[in-house]
């Protein structure tokens, strides 16, 4: 065994940020197993494609033979498992792929990791970790005054995506309890930052605003998410890998609760400032209220005190600094946005937004002022 990592889903949003960050700090080689679904983009990792410390393996985490071969060949010190179907709206439109990748895929990885772990001895065995990267959505939804999700909050997943991730968390937990696999689970709040596919709220709003397209707000826009800059998540994962306790769960969140309307209002103000020549200014005029997401969770909030006190982690970016960096990245990388939004992306936009009747528009100006 060496200090190699087997990362799954490393061509996606968080995975590619993690791989780039890991390799830039010369922590050791990375093997990236990714199926390259619509959400996986090798261009995200173009800067390390020729790095001898980086190996790309194109394949499916449900392929047990392939996973076993990669483990035997590269003998990693850890598996960092990001690969998933990750978009709630797509899980509502078509849940099958979510059950397959998120549940069967995690099962396949856990079994292969268990076999591999069985071959390790001594310090190699002591060091091995399976880091299962999960979401706060497994905990369900909060009312306005409920305390934030903590590690003992009962699971109550509401969407097919959340249910599939909850199932995968339960599998990881059971593999620790029954087979002694040294797994650790992290449950993180909504991430944002570079390389996020423009089907998620923040990059979708940036991409649409720059093209003068409507900014579709589901329902009343008062749903709350707890936003975390992606590199703060990556730092948390490194801390958990290095010092986290086996069998534990760590919640990861930035303490940045914002309503969707607040997020969009702040984004529009940033775009007004950073693209002063835009003919779509003020960008907030593009806001359009559309039919709500079925089963839409009202509020997520994370209590990250365990991670902070045990492992000394703290988010470094505030929402304001992280969002500014993010908008600047999308402005500087319009070619990336164009390349990922051609073809199949357009079909998704038509499918998801074409059938959403315009909702009764709340008094948007007044609400925006309130949101600020
Ligand atoms: P993403 O959708 O951007 O990327 C997923 C990656 O997994 C893609 O590269 C895709 O090609 C790959 N993939 C999908 N199915 C695969 C399969 N069967 N085999 C191999 N590769 C496959 O996702 P993301 O936003 O980067 O999320 C990564 C992980 O973090 C997920 O497990 C997600 O549940 C979790 N998470 C995400 C957030 C968030 O805000 N994005 C928050 C908390 C946790
Ligand atoms: P999203 O980025 O899909 O993340 P998640 O559903 O996992 O939290 O959505 C974030 C919030 O933004 C969520 O409350 C749904 C809302 N939303 C919109 O209002 N309009 C949109 O077009 C999208 C994609 C999301």
């Amino acid at each position: 065994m060496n200090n190699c990592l087997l990362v799954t889903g490393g061509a996606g949003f968080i995975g590619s940020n993690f791989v780039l960050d890991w390799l830039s700090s010369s922590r050791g080689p990375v093997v990236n197993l990714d199926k390259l679904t619509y959400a996986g983009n090798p261009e995200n990792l173009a800067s390390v494609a020729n790095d001898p410390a980086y190996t790309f393996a194109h394949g499916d985490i449900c392929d047990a033979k392939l996973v076993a071969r990669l483990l035997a060949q590269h003998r990693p010190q850890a598996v960092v498992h990001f690969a998933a179907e990750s978009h709630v709206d797509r899980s509502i439109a078509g849940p099958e792929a979510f059950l397959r990748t998120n549940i069967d895929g995690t099962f396949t990885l856990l079994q292969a990791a268990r076999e591999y772990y069985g071959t390790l001895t001594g310090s190699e065995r002591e060091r091995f970790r399976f880091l299962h990267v999960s979401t706060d959505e497994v905990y369900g939804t909060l009312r306005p005054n409920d305390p934030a999700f903590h590690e003992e909050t009962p699971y109550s997943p509401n969407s097919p995506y959340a249910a599939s991730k909850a199932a995968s968390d339960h599998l990881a937990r059971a593999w620790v309890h029954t087979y002694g696999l040294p797994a650790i689970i992290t449950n993180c709040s909504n991430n944002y930052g570079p390389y996020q596919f423009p089907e998620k709220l923040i990059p979708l709003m940036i991409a649409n605003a720059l093209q003068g397209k409507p900014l579709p707000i589901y329902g009343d826009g008062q749903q709350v998410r707890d936003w975390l800059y992606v590199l703060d998540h990556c730092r948390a994962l490194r801390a958990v890998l290095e010092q986290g306790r086996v069998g534990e769960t760590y919640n990861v969140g930035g303490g940045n609760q914002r309503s969707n309307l607040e997020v969009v209002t702040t984004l529009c103000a940033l775009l007004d400032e950073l693209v002063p020549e835009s003919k779509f200014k003020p960008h907030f005029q593009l806001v359009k209220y559309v039919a709500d997401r079925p089963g839409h969770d009202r509020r997520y909030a994370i209590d990250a005190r365990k991670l902070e006190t045990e492992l000394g982690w703290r988010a470094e970016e505030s929402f304001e600094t992280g969002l500014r960096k993010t908008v600047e990245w999308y402005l500087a990388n319009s070619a990336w946005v164009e390349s990922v939004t051609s073809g199949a992306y357009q079909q998704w936009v038509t499918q998801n937004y074409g059938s959403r009747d315009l909702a009764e528009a709340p008094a948007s100006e007044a609400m925006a002022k309130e949101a600020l």
Side-chain angles (χ1 to χ4, degrees), residues 351-366:
Q351 183 185 338
N352 190 44
Y353 297 98
S355 59
R356 278 178 198 272
D357 296 323
L358 271 193
E360 182 88 353
S364 50
E365 288 300 319

Side-chain angles (χ1 to χ4, degrees), residues 108-278:
T108 305
L109 283 174
L110 287 166
Q111 284 290 74
R114 188 185 142 211
E115 285 273 315
Y116 168 66
Y117 180 61
T119 69
L120 301 179
T121 53
S123 62
E124 292 191 340
R125 188 174 169 84
E126 251 166 57
R127 211 165 133 209
F128 182 73
R129 295 288 181 272
F130 185 104
L131 177 50
H132 178 64
V133 181
S134 192
T135 167
D136 61 355
E137 304 195 22
V138 298
Y139 296 123
T141 187
L142 294 168
R143 288 166 302 191
N145 296 319
D146 284 345
F149 300 131
H150 54 86
E151 286 79 1
E152 272 72 47
T153 302
Y155 274 33
S156 188
N158 288 320
S159 71
Y161 164 65
S164 68
K165 290 297 290 188
S168 69
D169 291 9
H170 290 320
L171 292 175
R173 185 181 188 281
W175 262 239
V176 176
H177 189 77
T178 303
Y179 303 115
L181 183 75
I184 306 179
I185 300 170
T186 54
N187 294 94
C188 189
S189 58
N190 286 60
N191 284 215
Y192 66 99
Y195 301 110
Q196 187 168 29
F197 194 74
E199 64 184 357
K200 306 276 170 69
L201 179 74
I202 288 177
L204 178 105
M205 293 295 170
I206 298 172
N208 281 13
L210 290 174
Q211 295 175 63
K213 291 184 178 165
L215 308 181
I217 299 214
Y218 296 165
D220 65 1
Q222 294 304 319
Q223 303 81 8
V224 170
R225 299 292 182 262
D226 186 347
W227 295 95
L228 183 69
Y229 190 64
V230 63
L231 287 173
D232 276 325
H233 186 191
C234 294
R235 285 193 312 104
L237 296 174
R238 289 205 317 257
V240 170
L241 261 183
E242 283 157 14
Q243 316 156 51
R245 284 184 294 138
V246 165
E248 293 290 322
T249 285
Y250 293 90
N251 279 358
V252 190
N256 285 309
Q257 293 181 57
R258 298 284 188 286
S259 72
N260 294 337
L261 192 59
E262 279 178 287
V263 170
V264 173
T265 306
T266 310
L267 269 177
C268 288
L270 268 171
L271 287 168
D272 291 349
E273 178 199 327
L274 296 171
V275 197
E277 72 285 4
S278 167

Side-chain angles (χ1 to χ4, degrees), residues 12-14 34-35 37 40 60-61 82 86 101 134 161 165 191:
F13 163 47
I14 305 174
D34 198 299
K35 188 179 171 184
T37 67
D60 193 325
I61 57 167
F82 294 99
S86 69
T101 287
S134 192
Y161 164 65
K165 290 297 290 188
N191 284 215

Side-chain angles (χ1 to χ4, degrees), residues 269-335:
L270 268 171
L271 287 168
D272 291 349
E273 178 199 327
L274 296 171
V275 197
E277 72 285 4
S278 167
K279 55 179 190 275
F280 308 117
K281 259 175 67 180
H283 291 91
F284 191 81
Q285 69 183 325
L286 298 168
V287 159
K288 201 163 229 178
Y289 291 88
V290 300
D292 208 351
R293 170 188 280 174
H296 200 169
D297 283 340
R298 199 69 185 161
R299 174 176 166 242
Y300 303 143
I302 278 277
D303 178 343
R305 275 177 296 180
K306 180 173 172 184
L307 181 66
E308 292 170 355
T309 51
E310 265 190 35
L311 307 187
W313 174 89
R314 286 270 180 302
E316 284 177 6
E317 297 291 344
S318 69
F319 188 61
E320 285 63 35
T321 59
L323 203 60
R324 181 174 286 271
K325 280 187 183 175
T326 304
V327 173
E328 285 169 349
W329 187 89
Y330 279 90
L331 289 174
N333 289 276
S334 52

